[in-house]
């Protein structure tokens, strides 16, 4: 049986004539009549890593800062021009170099806060930033912020206007670490006793005392050094060492002697002002004696002992014409007792009008 031409055409493959010369690139590979090549396409060539980028990273890691910067810049230029890999390595080298710069800067700053320029006698010669704990006894300073030992102060000679002075150094006992608060209390008590003589300064009412004790890492390493400093908060700055400002008319309470006449007793002060007994005064020492030794008995027990001793001594030796209207007594506080002070001082005082003569018989 024969087939018609139309039926025969339905069994023949459909072909598309090839495109004209010059237009072959515009025909899709999947067009009817074209056969795609068999097998995987060839892989693209792998990009090369820039060697300068690798060197920049190594220089940054080993702290060769200038080399790291130079090689990183060269790597950026070449990777952009040649299409090479390695920009991330160059950036990492710069980051490592920056970290080295920060560490070195921190070390230099910390080192500068630990030392100052000094003359042969050890005195500061200029103005140097120091951590308060790095001051030497005799250094004067400005810029103390509260009680912080981490904020630097400016150390300088005491002949320049200043607001404070490092006045004493001591070492705490080699006990186990007692805690931050206990260490500070011990240091403050010790500094209170160590700086007592300077409370006879004519600027004493404007002086604040601070103690800078060791921290726990230092304590564990055997450091027991405590620095005592005095800060002046008066209306103007000091221009001489505090030792040159002592008032010869003042005595510490424990330095008073029988017969001394005083102005009104300065409450809360360990130094008292003496007056001639033929001038108007309010109190006079009539006895000084030593309390029994032993462990610190506590404030109340010590107060009772001091009062009993002064009561037992007050009638003796007074002039019939000049007798005290009140009795006052002074005795050591705990840190003074632990420092070995056992003195008790008994004073007779006027109440309504000042005395003009000695109350004691000659």
């Amino acid at each position: 049986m024969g087939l018609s031409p139309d039926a025969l055409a339905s069994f023949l493959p459909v072909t598309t004539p090839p495109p004209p010369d010059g237009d072959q690139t515009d025909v899709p590979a999947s067009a009817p009549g074209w056969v795609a090549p068999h097998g995987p396409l060839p892989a693209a060539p792998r990009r090369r890593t820039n060697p300068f980028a690798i060197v920049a990273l190594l220089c940054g890691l080993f702290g060769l800062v200038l080399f790291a910067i130079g090689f990183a810049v060269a790597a950026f230029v070449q990777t952009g021009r040649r299409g090479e890999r390695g920009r991330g390595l160059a950036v990492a080298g710069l980051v490592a170099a920056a970290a080295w710069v920060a560490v070195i800067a921190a070390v230099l700053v910390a080192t500068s806060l630990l030392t100052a320029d000094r003359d042969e006698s050890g005195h500061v010669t200029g103005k140097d930033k120091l951590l308060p704990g790095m001051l030497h006894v005799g250094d004067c300073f400005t810029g103390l912020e509260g009680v912080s030992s981490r904020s630097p102060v400016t150390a300088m000679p005491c002949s320049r206007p200043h607001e404070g002075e490092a006045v004493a150094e001591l070492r705490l006992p080699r006990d186990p670490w007692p805690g931050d608060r206990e260490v500070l209390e011990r240091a403050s008590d010790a500094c209170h006793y160590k700086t007592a003589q300077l409370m006879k300064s004519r600027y004493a009412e404007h002086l604040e005392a601070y103690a800078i004790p060791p921290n726990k890492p230092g304590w564990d390493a055997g450091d027991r050094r405590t620095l005592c400093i005095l800060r002046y908060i008066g209306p103007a700055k000091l221009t001489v060492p505090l030792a040159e400002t002592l008032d010869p008319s003042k005595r510490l309470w424990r330095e008073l002697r029988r017969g001394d006449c005083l102005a009104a007793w300065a409450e809360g002060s360990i130094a008292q002002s003496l007056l001639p007994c033929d001038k108007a005064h309010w109190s006079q020492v009539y006895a000084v004696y030593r309390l029994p030794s032993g462990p610190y008995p506590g404030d109340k027990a010590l107060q009772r002992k001091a009062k009993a001793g002064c009561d037992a001594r007050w009638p003796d030796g007074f002039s019939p014409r000049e007798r005290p209207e009140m009795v006052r007594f002074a005795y050591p506080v705990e840190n003074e007792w632990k420092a070995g002070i056992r003195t008790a001082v008994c004073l007779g005082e006027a109440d309504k009008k000042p005395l003009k003569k000695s109350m004691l018989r000659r």
Side-chain angles (χ1 to χ4, degrees):
M1 179 180 66
L3 295 175
S4 66
D6 293 337
L8 181 62
S10 65
F11 286 94
L12 296 177
V14 178
T15 62
T16 302
D21 292 342
D23 293 335
Q24 294 183 15
T25 57
D26 296 331
V27 179
S30 61
W34 290 86
V35 179
H38 295 283
L41 294 174
R46 184 176 180 84
R47 289 190 302 160
R48 176 172 176 262
T49 300
N50 186 271
F52 283 165
I54 298 173
V55 176
L57 175 61
L58 293 175
C59 290
L61 292 175
F62 287 99
L64 304 175
V65 176
L66 295 180
F67 289 101
I69 294 173
F71 283 116
V73 171
F76 290 145
V77 172
Q78 290 189 359
T79 53
R81 183 183 300 167
R82 302 175 182 176
E84 296 176 329
R85 299 191 311 167
R87 293 180 65 86
L89 297 178
V91 170
L94 290 178
V95 171
W100 274 102
V101 170
V103 170
I104 293 171
V107 170
L108 291 175
V109 170
T111 302
S112 68
L113 297 178
L114 299 178
T115 59
D117 293 330
R118 300 180 181 276
D119 58 22
E120 294 180 355
S121 60
H123 295 112
V124 174
T125 57
K127 288 186 176 182
D128 292 287
K129 290 287 186 180
L130 284 178
L131 292 176
M134 294 298 104
L135 293 169
H136 292 186
V137 174
D139 288 350
C140 291
F141 62 86
T142 59
L144 182 67
E145 296 183 5
V147 296
S148 174
S149 60
R150 298 180 180 178
S151 299
V153 297
T154 302
M156 62 184 63
C158 294
S159 58
R160 298 185 181 183
H162 59 274
E163 64 183 32
E165 183 179 346
V167 295
E169 181 179 304
L170 54 92
R171 279 172 171 74
L172 298 175
R174 289 187 171 274
D175 297 334
W177 172 252
D180 291 324
R181 176 177 291 183
E182 178 66 21
V183 166
L184 182 58
E185 289 180 358
R186 292 184 188 182
S188 298
D189 287 345
C191 283
H192 176 79
Y193 176 74
K194 195 81 172 179
T195 63
Q197 289 294 330
L198 293 175
M199 292 299 103
K200 294 187 284 187
S201 167
R202 58 181 179 270
Y203 300 115
E205 63 179 317
H206 296 301
L207 291 177
E208 292 181 341
Y210 296 91
I212 303 178
N215 55 22
K216 188 178 187 304
W219 187 282
D220 292 340
D223 179 20
R224 300 295 188 273
R225 176 181 180 266
T226 293
L227 187 69
C228 309
I229 63 178
L230 291 176
R231 181 186 183 192
Y232 177 66
I233 58 171
K237 291 187 176 181
L238 301 173
T239 55
V240 295
L242 286 170
E244 297 181 14
T245 68
L246 300 187
D247 185 345
S249 69
K250 288 187 175 182
R251 285 184 186 166
L252 300 181
W253 73 267
R254 60 179 183 263
E255 297 174 337
L256 293 173
R257 298 189 291 265
R258 184 178 186 276
D260 285 343
C261 294
L262 314 175
W265 183 267
E267 296 287 352
S269 175
I270 61 174
Q272 304 295 327
S273 297
L274 300 183
L275 291 174
C277 290
D278 57 356
K279 304 293 184 181
H281 57 277
W282 288 91
S283 62
Q284 186 173 11
V285 178
Y286 67 84
V288 177
Y289 70 97
R290 182 176 176 82
L291 293 163
S293 297
Y296 179 65
D299 182 73
K300 290 185 177 180
L302 200 54
Q303 184 182 48
R304 288 195 297 269
K305 291 181 180 181
K307 182 179 184 303
C310 288
D311 287 345
R313 290 167 173 81
W314 87 266
D316 298 335
F318 284 111
S319 169
R321 298 181 181 180
E322 300 287 343
R323 298 183 67 84
E325 298 171 317
M326 298 185 300
V327 171
R328 178 188 295 273
F329 49 93
Y331 56 94
V333 295
E334 183 175 4
N335 68 297
E336 292 172 325
W337 184 273
K338 291 181 178 179
I341 298 173
R342 301 293 186 268
T343 303
V345 177
C346 312
L347 303 100
E349 291 193 338
D351 181 30
K352 298 178 181 178
K353 61 180 182 179
L355 302 168
K356 295 183 179 180
K357 295 180 181 179
S358 173
M359 293 185 295
L360 304 181
R361 295 175 180 173
R362 295 186 182 278

